[in-house]
Amino acid sequence: MRSGFPHARAGQVVGLLGGSFDPAHDGHAMITREALKRFALDEVWWLVSPGNPLKANGPAPMEQRLARARDIIHHPNVKVTDIEARIGTRYTARTLRALRRLYPGVRFVWLMGADNLAQLDRWQEWRWILENIPVGVLARPGQRISARMSKAARVYDFARMPARMAGRLGRSDAPSWCFVNVPMVALSSTELRRKGKW
């Protein structure tokens, strides 16, 4: 593997948590630890993105966001990466295609908060994502109902795994997704920026 890229072996199950992390906070760390446990993941990679195509304003500089993320999460099975900047992708589907080429035999699981499931149908190639990569959805405050009633949840209802089977998600073939409730941490990057804490 090229320098600066995380290492993974064929057969490992790696969760991918993407976002601008502007800034990373304890809520990100909490859902990451829950994802490792609930979905039986070998590792989770934080994909600190160059920028969110759905957001009008650009994020803080990449190095600042990476440094903050590394300060927030301290876990031997979590890697903070700038892999999207390195491979030149900004859209999730393109990132996933590139990672599957770079890491043959690694089983990836896309992780997202319930708030992202609620708007997933606005993402570029959202159907391709669900058709090709298992998706683990972690409930966040105030988003459970809108996520469960979202277009993506309705269209792919047939592929939903019950929460009691969450540990099998990474070994399942897509389309498969699982919605789990996790302890609530009412933090958001938007709120931290609004309060001038970033």
Side-chain angles (χ1 to χ4, degrees), residues 52-150:
N52 183 339
L54 294 180
K55 292 182 180 177
N57 299 321
M62 174 69 83
E63 287 308 315
Q64 183 181 347
R65 291 181 289 127
L66 287 168
R68 164 73 178 222
R70 290 178 178 129
D71 285 342
I72 289 291
I73 189 78
H74 300 280
H75 194 290
N77 298 328
V78 179
K79 297 174 180 172
V80 175
T81 79
D82 60 351
I83 200 166
E84 285 188 304
R86 290 175 182 272
I87 60 180
T89 59
R90 286 184 52 150
Y91 292 97
T92 299
R94 294 179 188 176
T95 297
L96 293 172
R97 285 190 180 97
L99 288 175
R100 296 206 312 181
R101 286 193 302 271
L102 288 167
Y103 295 93
V106 173
R107 300 189 67 96
F108 290 110
V109 173
W110 184 255
L111 302 173
M112 64 170 64
D115 55 332
N116 279 320
L117 179 62
Q119 58 160 347
L120 185 61
D121 61 292
R122 294 174 54 200
W123 292 22
Q124 187 179 75
E125 296 188 85
W126 66 275
R127 290 176 186 266
W128 183 93
I129 295 168
L130 284 165
E131 292 284 346
N132 288 276
I133 305 289
V135 175
V137 182
L138 300 120
R140 292 185 60 187
Q143 294 291 339
R144 293 177 182 174
I145 294 174
S146 59
R148 288 178 170 157
M149 300 304 294
S150 68

